[in-house]
Amino acid sequence: MKLIDKIKDRVIRGHINANSRFPKDLTGKEGVEELVQKAIDEKISVGKILNEALISSMSVVGDKYETGEIFVPEMLFSAKAMKSGLALLKPFLIKENQKSIGTIIIGTIKGDMHDIGKNLVGMMLEGAGFEVIDLGVDITKEKFMDAAEKNPGSIIGMSALLTVTMKNMKEVVDAVKASDLGTKVIIGGAPVSEAFSNEIGADGYALNANQAVRVAKAVMGI
Ligand code: B1M
């Protein structure tokens, strides 16, 4: 099996590293950590590892969950495995000591605990020179507004992965519009679309982490 396919398989099966005891039949065998490190050492491009091994595996995990082949605990192991791989790629996505081009406050919206996509968006923004304030997951309108007040001129970037939580983004957009902060709001996440972004009056929508950088720069006029 090719290295990229092997990493993908290990994320799907939720095998973090050789010491992980899940799944049982892979204990003692290389997990995502060792294999991603191997891919880095073999100079496989970070973009290829990220897109073809890590991100694409999560769609397979989602499909398996949807069809009842796996359940929440297995999905959680896959998420942990994905995160362990992402952590190894982080230094390549972020350039140290560069001058900040602006501040962006990011968070996953109220009711939603998914943070892999939000973390990736944060890394790309940081890599592009933004100062990123990551509020975490399950972030209420009050927390977003508090951070925006403390950071004048910043952008708010919200992520949602559940159709039931994406509607909570409107509360934040409405609160920002009702204030005199002038904060711009950009949104993203699997169930979110350009049409939804227009509907709730956000200033920008991005399909993925690369687009998030372009959209954040555009709303800042740079
Ligand atoms: Co959940 N989950 N999950 N889950 N989970 C989904 C989202 C789901 C689609 C699975 C499925 O049924 N096929 C489904 C949602 C259905 C729906 O609402 N339409 C679902 C469900 C139902 C649930 C629970 C309700 C399950 C349950 O408990 N019964 C529960 C909800 C918990 C909660 O949040 N309250 C739940 C829990 C979990 C875990 C905790 C087990 C785990 C999350 C762990 C974690 O994040 N730390 C998990 C996972 C891993 C997934 C899937 C499999 C993978 C998500 C992911 O990380 N993708 C997911 C299925 C799927 O996505 N196909 C699924 C990889 C990531 C890189 O992509 O996050 O889309 P993504 O981010 C992208 C873009 O969307 C975009 O850029 C990123 C990079 O390209 N983007 C932005 C994201 N945010 C952005 C912000 C921007 C711009 C772009 O601007 C600011």
Side-chain angles (χ1 to χ4, degrees):
M1 202 191 281
K2 275 192 194 155
L3 186 50
I4 288 288
D5 296 333
K6 209 168 173 182
I7 298 171
K8 195 170 168 181
D9 174 73
R10 296 301 193 261
V11 176
I12 294 167
R13 299 197 60 200
H15 190 52
I16 301 165
N17 57 37
N19 296 325
S20 315
R21 281 185 281 172
F22 183 85
K24 260 192 183 143
D25 63 306
L26 289 178
T27 306
K29 296 195 176 135
E30 292 171 311
V32 174
E33 272 173 17
E34 292 90 354
L35 294 169
V36 167
Q37 189 55 56
K38 198 181 246 182
I40 294 169
D41 295 343
E42 287 184 13
K43 307 259 181 300
I44 296 178
S45 84
V46 168
K48 192 176 167 91
I49 306 171
L50 183 64
N51 294 312
E52 294 178 26
L54 299 181
I55 295 182
S56 69
S57 62
M58 295 316 274
S59 325
V60 180
V61 173
D63 291 346
K64 283 181 181 282
Y65 172 76
E66 220 169 286
T67 55
E69 201 181 316
I70 61 165
F71 299 93
V72 173
E74 287 95 335
M75 196 151 68
L76 204 47
F77 274 112
S78 291
K80 283 187 178 163
M82 156 94 181
K83 281 184 167 188
S84 71
L86 208 51
L88 291 169
L89 299 186
K90 190 174 175 179
F92 299 94
L93 301 174
I94 295 173
K95 295 184 205 97
E96 300 288 333
N97 302 325
Q98 54 181 356
K99 209 169 147 251
S100 169
I101 58 169
T103 301
I104 180 155
I105 298 156
I106 60 167
T108 305
I109 195 65
K110 183 174 81 177
D112 203 321
M113 304 298 169
H114 297 85
D115 68 355
I116 296 174
K118 182 260 300 163
N119 294 347
L120 193 53
V121 168
M123 283 181 209
M124 294 293 193
L125 287 164
E126 228 177 302
F130 282 90
E131 185 192 334
V132 176
I133 299 172
D134 188 349
L135 300 179
V137 296
D138 191 20
I139 303 305
T140 58
K141 168 187 78 183
E142 289 75 17
K143 285 187 185 161
F144 275 117
M145 291 307 288
D146 184 48
E149 275 161 26
K150 286 181 181 147
N151 295 280
S154 57
I155 307 173
I156 289 179
M158 292 187 282
S159 180
L161 261 289
L162 299 171
T163 41
V164 288
T165 58
M166 61 192 254
K167 65 178 190 312
N168 298 337
M169 290 172 152
K170 186 174 184 317
E171 288 179 14
V172 181
V173 173
D174 288 347
V176 167
K177 297 252 164 8
S179 76
D180 55 6
L181 292 171
T183 307
K184 302 281 186 198
V185 182
I186 69 168
I187 64 172
V192 180
S193 64
E194 184 93 56
F196 176 74
S197 170
N198 292 335
E199 186 189 313
I200 66 168
D203 299 290
Y205 156 75
L207 177 69
N208 55 40
N210 288 326
Q211 263 193 29
V213 172
R214 284 201 291 277
V215 174
K217 283 184 176 172
V219 300
M220 286 194 85
I222 50 176

